């Protein structure tokens, strides 16, 4: 199998570090992959981890996070970034296998279920499992391993992408720990938005940047640049203000306002004057926002 240029450069870098005495120790890691034990060598090198991406020079990156997407606004643009997109196909395959295992469970141990086809509480009586059931369990375990590896790769790619814009990052403190108890539980489990934000925080601090959490009590998604507070249901994804005529994407606008929160110690204050000046002054003309003609009233 031919090696890519990136892999070749990485091998050359490791060989050079080992030759210069940076190798601390080597360890062999064993893991079960598709019912087979695989072994790999890990080289632990001393010193800080190398930076493979350039650090951005823009002022700030503001992130409005959701269960499946990050809505990002920075000095010269904005974008929607899907969290761990590569796990979706694996998640669908995992769901099919879990249903298949459930049918095998019901056939192999009917005493585990009551008259309403619900699993009884307490001990499970399905001890003697068939070879096909064991194969299904092995496939499920392998899919969980694959999903975790793909999720970690996607998280690292997004973190490096954002740090290459700016090492100074802000995000709203949503209380993500409560999300798994919501109706997004499956999406949270598969995509890991909390782990994604943790990865972004680590990437920012590794390059001597900052990672700030904005208090959700500021209710940025309910605020408008004219000072009006507009309460919106969760399903409403547009910010429409009848007072000033502003009509923008709700998530991107919330991230935009996040950039104008002044932090003084523990106090956080939304500076609407600065937000209005930047928005109306077309400082973000390259964004994907829809700017209505009614914004002319601020000129």
């Amino acid at each position: 199998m031919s090696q890519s240029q990136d892999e070749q450069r990485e091998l050359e870098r490791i060989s050079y570090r080992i030759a210069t005495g940076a190798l601390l120790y080597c360890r062999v890691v064993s893991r079960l992959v598709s019912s087979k034990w695989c072994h790999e060598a890990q080289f632990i090198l001393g010193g800080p981890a190398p930076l493979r991406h350039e650090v951005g020079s823009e002022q700030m990156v503001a992130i409005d996070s959701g269960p499946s997407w990050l809505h990002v606004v920075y000095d010269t643009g904005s974008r929607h970034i899907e969290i761990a997109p590569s796990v979706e196909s694996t998640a669908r395959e995992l769901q099919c296998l879990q249903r298949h295992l459930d049918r095998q469970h019901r056939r192999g141990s009917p005493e585990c279920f009551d008259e309403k086809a619900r699993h009884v509480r307490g001990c499970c009586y399905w001890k003697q499992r068939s070879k096909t059931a064991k194969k299904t369990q092995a496939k499920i375990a392998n899919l969980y391993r694959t999903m975790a590896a793909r999720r970690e790769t996607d998280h690292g790619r997004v973190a490096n992408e954002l740090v290459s814009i700016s090492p100074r990052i802000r995000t709203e403190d949503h209380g993500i720990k409560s999300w798994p108890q919501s109706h997004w539980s499956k999406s949270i489990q598969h995509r890991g938005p909390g782990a994604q934000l943790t990865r972004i925080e680590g990437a920012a601090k590794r390059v001597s940047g900052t990672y700030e959490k904005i208090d959700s009590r500021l209710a940025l998604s309910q605020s408008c640049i004219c000072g009006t507070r507009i309460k919106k249901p969760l399903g409403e994804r547009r910010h429409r203000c009848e007072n000033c005529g502003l009509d923008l994407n709700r998530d991107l606008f919330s991230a935009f306002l996040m950039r104008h929160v002044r932090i003084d110690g523990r106090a956080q204050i939304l500076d609407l004057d600065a937000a209005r000046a930047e928005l109306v002054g077309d400082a973000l003309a390259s964004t994907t926002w829809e700017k209505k003609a009614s914004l002319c009233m601020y000129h």
Side-chain angles (χ1 to χ4, degrees), residues 5 75 77-78 84 92 95 99 106-107 118 125 127 152-153 157 207 209 221 233 235 249 276 283 295 299:
Q5 293 182 356
D75 298 352
S78 66
R92 288 191 291 268
Q95 186 179 31
R99 289 177 177 175
R106 293 175 186 275
R107 288 195 302 267
R118 297 174 302 187
Y125 303 101
K127 305 298 182 183
E152 185 176 359
T153 300
R157 176 183 54 80
V207 295
S221 62
N249 181 281
R276 187 183 305 114
L295 281 176
H299 285 276

Side-chain angles (χ1 to χ4, degrees), residues 22-276:
L23 179 64
L24 298 180
Y25 59 92
C26 176
R27 64 185 179 188
V28 176
V29 178
S30 302
R31 64 182 67 189
L32 195 63
V33 179
S34 299
S35 302
K36 296 180 180 179
W37 283 102
C38 298
H39 311 280
E40 60 184 26
Q42 292 184 351
F43 297 93
I44 288 75
L45 306 177
L51 296 178
R52 298 186 177 90
H53 304 272
E54 294 184 359
V55 180
S57 58
E58 298 207 21
Q59 180 183 359
M60 183 186 302
V61 172
I63 305 172
D64 184 84
S65 59
S68 304
W69 292 83
L70 299 178
H71 312 279
V72 181
V73 174
Y74 43 97
D75 298 352
T76 58
S78 66
R79 65 183 69 174
H80 301 280
I81 300 177
E82 187 176 5
I83 301 174
S86 62
V87 305
E88 276 303 289
S89 58
T90 310
R92 288 191 291 268
E93 186 179 356
L94 178 63
Q95 186 179 31
C96 293
L97 282 175
Q98 287 173 332
R99 289 177 177 175
H100 183 52
L101 183 64
D102 181 68
R103 291 191 293 269
Q104 292 174 327
H105 189 177
R106 293 175 186 275
R107 288 195 302 267
S109 182
E111 62 271 16
C112 289
F113 301 88
D114 59 17
E115 62 279 1
K116 293 185 179 180
R118 297 174 302 187
H119 197 283
V120 296
R121 294 184 177 181
C123 181
C124 180
Y125 303 101
W126 195 30
K127 305 298 182 183
Q128 300 297 326
R129 307 189 181 189
S130 63
K131 290 183 178 180
T132 55
K134 291 180 179 179
K135 288 182 179 179
T136 304
Q137 285 182 308
K139 290 179 181 179
I140 290 175
N142 187 55
L143 278 180
Y144 273 119
R145 181 196 60 80
T146 302
M147 184 182 296
R150 291 179 177 177
R151 180 171 55 241
E152 185 176 359
T153 300
D154 287 346
H155 286 178
R157 176 183 54 80
V158 171
N160 292 329
E161 179 182 349
L162 294 180
V163 171
S164 67
I165 299 174
S166 173
R168 293 168 290 278
I169 295 175
R170 279 187 180 181
T171 183
E172 190 172 9
D173 189 5
H174 288 292
I176 293 179
K177 292 182 179 180
S178 63
W179 284 4
Q181 285 77 36
S182 66
H183 58 279
W184 303 313
S185 57
K186 284 294 182 182
S187 180
I188 298 294
Q189 179 185 3
H190 294 159
R191 296 179 183 269
Q196 174 68 89
L197 293 178
T198 302
R199 189 68 175 270
I200 294 172
E201 179 181 5
K205 292 182 177 179
R206 190 161 64 93
V207 295
S208 302
T210 59
Y211 184 85
E212 299 172 326
K213 294 183 179 180
I214 304 302
D215 196 339
S216 60
R217 289 176 293 184
L218 289 177
L220 298 179
S221 62
Q222 314 288 344
S223 303
C224 185
I225 58 173
C226 64
T228 307
R229 184 67 66 89
I230 307 168
K231 292 186 178 181
K232 295 183 283 288
L234 190 60
E236 177 61 45
R237 307 319 302 170
R238 301 288 299 176
H239 173 83
R240 296 184 177 92
C241 180
E242 297 180 356
N243 185 34
C244 65
L246 192 65
D247 186 356
L248 295 173
N249 181 281
R250 171 180 177 171
D251 304 301
L252 288 179
F253 184 60
S254 176
F256 169 77
L257 292 179
M258 197 181 304
R259 301 175 71 249
H260 297 282
V261 174
R262 290 187 287 104
I263 301 178
D264 185 9
R266 294 186 178 181
Q268 298 182 358
I269 303 172
L270 175 59
D271 190 348
L272 290 177
D273 293 334
R276 187 183 305 114

